[in-house]
């Protein structure tokens, strides 16, 4: 990946868990954004991995904000920079809890207003910072501390909720595919107006996987179609990279589920429901890319 700069804005002294793929994703986000960047971080794991005050592992300014207010804060910050003629990148880096659940009202408002910012949801499919409670992004069948027998509700489709706002740029990405992530962040920041990137970040303690497995699990999510890499520019969708091959032939979903302790005890009915959701999503994406919907 020679085109990715060697400059580091996430330093080695983070207090992240071993194998944290959210930190890996943020590393490449900041490489793409560069030093003229401000992060807006609501309550989430990223609030913690910065380190203990007065020290920090971040080499860019960070504004830590309340759970529900990240997008609202970023709106004001973006307007303030613009009023001074500055082109500083304003990036919200928020977990799924602060995006799919608690922060969704402020996010919707910011997108409607046309805020010139990049909102990134790094999705470990639960409230990781407070003990791995279920969130709206937790998939059916997954065990969390508040769903010890497995979640019985389906995952909220935040991507199609965002798409309803008709923003200029939207994409999915994975910490296991850093080049794809890097390029999408560059594209998002070069596109005027609001952008949204949804990143899958497998969590070792929460997903009950070894600390050396997040990249393997992330790649398996793509190979099975559980996570599809795509981008939508001004309403036109393109399925990216490894996911193009998956549209023709994908690995069995159980190969992804079996790697994770959080799916221990998942029922055959729940696996079938996940399969149906997965197939429906792939079909809808294929139709959209072909211009059929």
């Amino acid at each position: 990946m020679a085109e990715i700069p060697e400059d580091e804005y996430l330093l080695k002294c983070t207090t992240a868990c071993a194998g944290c793929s959210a930190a890996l994703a943020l590393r490449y986000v900041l490489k793409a954004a560069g030093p003229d960047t401000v992060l807006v971080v609501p309550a989430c794991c990223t609030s913690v991995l910065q380190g203990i005050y007065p020290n920090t592992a971040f080499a860019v300014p960070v504004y830590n904000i309340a759970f529900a207010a990240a997008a609202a804060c970023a709106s004001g910050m973006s307007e303030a920079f613009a009023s001074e003629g500055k082109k500083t990148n304003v990036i919200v880096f928020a977990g799924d809890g602060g995006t799919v659940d608690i922060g969704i009202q402020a996010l919707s408002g910011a997108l409607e207003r046309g805020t010139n910012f990049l909102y990134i949801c790094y999705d470990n499919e639960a409230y990781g910072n407070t003990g791995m409670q279920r969130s709206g992004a937790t998939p059916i069948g997954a065990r969390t501390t508040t769903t010890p027998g497995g979640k019985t509700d389906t995952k909220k489709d935040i991507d199609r909720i965002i798409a309803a706002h008709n923003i200029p740029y939207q994409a999915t990405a994975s910490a296991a595919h850093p080049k794809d992530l890097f390029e999408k962040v560059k594209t998002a920041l070069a596109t005027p107006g609001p952008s949204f990137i949804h990143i899958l970040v497998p969590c070792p303690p929460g997903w009950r996987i070894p600390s050396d497995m997040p990249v393997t699990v992330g790649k398996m999510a793509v190979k099975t179609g559980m996570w599809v890499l795509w981008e939508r520019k001004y309403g036109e969708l393109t399925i990216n990279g490894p996911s193009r091959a998956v549209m023709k032939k994908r690995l069995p979903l159980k190969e992804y589920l079996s790697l994770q302790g959080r799916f221990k005890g998942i029922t055959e009915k729940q696996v079938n429901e996940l399969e149906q959701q997965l197939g429906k999503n792939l079909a809808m994406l294929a139709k959209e890319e072909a211009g059929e919907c």
Side-chain angles (χ1 to χ4, degrees), residues 195-224:
S195 295
F196 181 88
I197 299 179
H198 190 186
I199 309 174
L200 183 69
V201 291
C203 171
W207 291 24
R208 302 175 192 177
I209 59 177
S211 60
D212 61 350
M213 284 288 287
V215 170
T216 299
V217 173
K219 287 183 177 180
M220 188 59 72
V222 173
K223 290 177 181 178
T224 57

Side-chain angles (χ1 to χ4, degrees), residues 239-261:
I239 296 169
N240 304 123
S243 288
R244 297 212 62 82
V246 174
M247 301 301 288
K248 298 179 180 178
K249 185 178 181 180
R250 62 182 179 84
L251 294 179
L253 178 59
K254 286 186 177 180
E255 292 192 21
Y256 171 69
L257 302 178
S258 65
L259 295 174
Q260 306 165 60

